[in-house]
Amino acid sequence: MSGINRTTSMKTALIFLVMLICSLTLAVALILSNGLDFKRQQKQLEQELAALLNIIAINTQSTLLTNNRFREEQRLAAFDAITAIKNIHIYKYDEAGQQLNFFVSYNRKDIGPWPLQIDRISEIITQKQPIRKGDTLEFGRAVVLDNQLLGYVYVRATAEELTQSQRQQTLVSILIAILALLLGYILVLQLQKRFTGPLNVLLDLVHRVARERDYCVRAPAAKVQEFNLLSRAFNTMMDRIESQLNKRAQAEDEIKQLNQSLEQKIAERTAALRESNQELLNTLATLHQYQNQIVETEKMASLGQMVAGIAHEVNTPIGLGVTASTLLQDKVQEIESAFENKTLSSNQLARFLSDSKENLGIIYRNLERAAGLISSFKQVAVDQSNENQRQFNMLQLINEVLLSLRPNLKKTNHQIHIDCPPELTINSKPGPINQILINLIMNSLLHAFDEGSAGEINIRVELKHHRCLLHYSDNGKGVPEHIRKRIFDPFVTTRRGEGGSGLGMHLVYNLVTLALNGKILLESSLGEGIQIDIDFPVGNLSPSKLNNR
């Protein structure tokens, strides 16, 4: 022990420890800070370039359709303000010849032209990340309009400014670290002088107490606040030893009182629990009374979800019509300006007529598509809210239901197969049948298939002896035995707390048995999908319907 005291000093240990901690902290901080900042800036640069690529692809749609090279070159010239972009190529896809042709390009003045990348464009657009070669980044994107390939956009950019900025930042960080270490070394030398003096005094006092057992000794006040607090703590330690036994007895009395208080609280909580149980029983009785009202609410929730989906679906053709009308308005303003300035040429007029015909065609097709969607949704909504019996085509009703559910279906990879005679016309209640199909399909989407899987749903309809037989099946996960026995009971679900109300199959059962006066049979095993057979009577068709059949 004496050898260690002679060879190790507190001054050396303090300086070494502080400098080591500072060096490691600065090194780790600088490495992490510069590395993370470089990755952040690199990712930000890639995101900005990807956003520019999307903007170029969107703007290029109109010029590729109209073959307007001059206008596209004017647009690309604006990229002189972005120093990161070196070259931009736009290739037009020739559908007749099944090949790519060069359309226009942009080359930065200090860079010069770049060879065509027609042979590599398919490889570039398939990459999830940009292709990096040193400080050069290559992006590619297909230009598609209404599922029609118009061409490709190729962008070549550089990250030289980012790399140079990172090097300068690293040099500045190293200089700051060196200055910080020098300043820390000077401060440590000053601090150790103030620390070693009070420590030596306190160490002598501790040795005296240990040797002589003189607990009346008190430590003097120190100039350093921390050592002064340590001296006060040492001085009060002896007084606390004497009072410790008294505090222990007092603590035992408090524990006894606490035990008595806990017993009283347990009795009070037990009585409160009995009252809560009674309230719960009353609430359960009230829930049974409002069960039919909840089922109707489930119907309206389903209709509301369908309204939101159709609104989203209708928004797409309307948006395309607005875009085409805006472009047509710009063309009209250009022709009007040329006519007023007496610079209108026959080629310009012919191009205007061609563009106008194409834009009007786009507007007409999309408005017609929106009208069809609204008409189908209107029929589905009327059927859901109307339980009157009428004659209707069964295949048309199924197709309208699938159209109303298309926003939900197109998010998945599932396939729906319909086996129904096109001429099958029945006399029944379309509203309950509509609601039954919606609930069965949504139940399969929510419960039968895992996310990202590709399942199959089969719907088969046939008419036998004035009864309609509807067979529904899927190849999903199936239903466990303990759930299958109670699947038509209310509030039975496998997704409690995840949005499942447990009323879907209960609603289907009520619609089949009460609204349609039919029967329903469900068969399923875990891992083997589900099969549902619905059998309900249909009324006699009118003579005109019989002749059509």
Side-chain angles (χ1 to χ4, degrees), residues 95-106:
E95 187 174 359
Q98 298 291 320
Q99 62 180 2
L100 288 179
N101 297 321
F102 173 75
F103 188 64
V104 294
S105 67
Y106 161 78

Side-chain angles (χ1 to χ4, degrees), residues 197-208 219-220 227 230-231 234:
L199 278 177
N200 291 331
V201 174
L202 188 59
L203 183 60
D204 293 339
L205 187 61
V206 170
H207 282 306
R208 178 180 173 184
F227 288 118
L230 182 60
S231 299
F234 177 80

Side-chain angles (χ1 to χ4, degrees), residues 10-21:
M10 183 177 180
K11 173 183 177 181
T12 303
L14 181 62
I15 293 175
F16 175 77
L17 182 61
V18 172
M19 294 304 294
L20 178 62
I21 294 174

Side-chain angles (χ1 to χ4, degrees), residues 467 512-513 516-521 533-537:
R467 297 189 71 87
V512 172
T513 57
L516 299 179
N517 194 24
K519 297 179 292 184
I520 182 171
L521 177 63
D533 295 326
I534 298 175
D535 176 6
F536 59 92

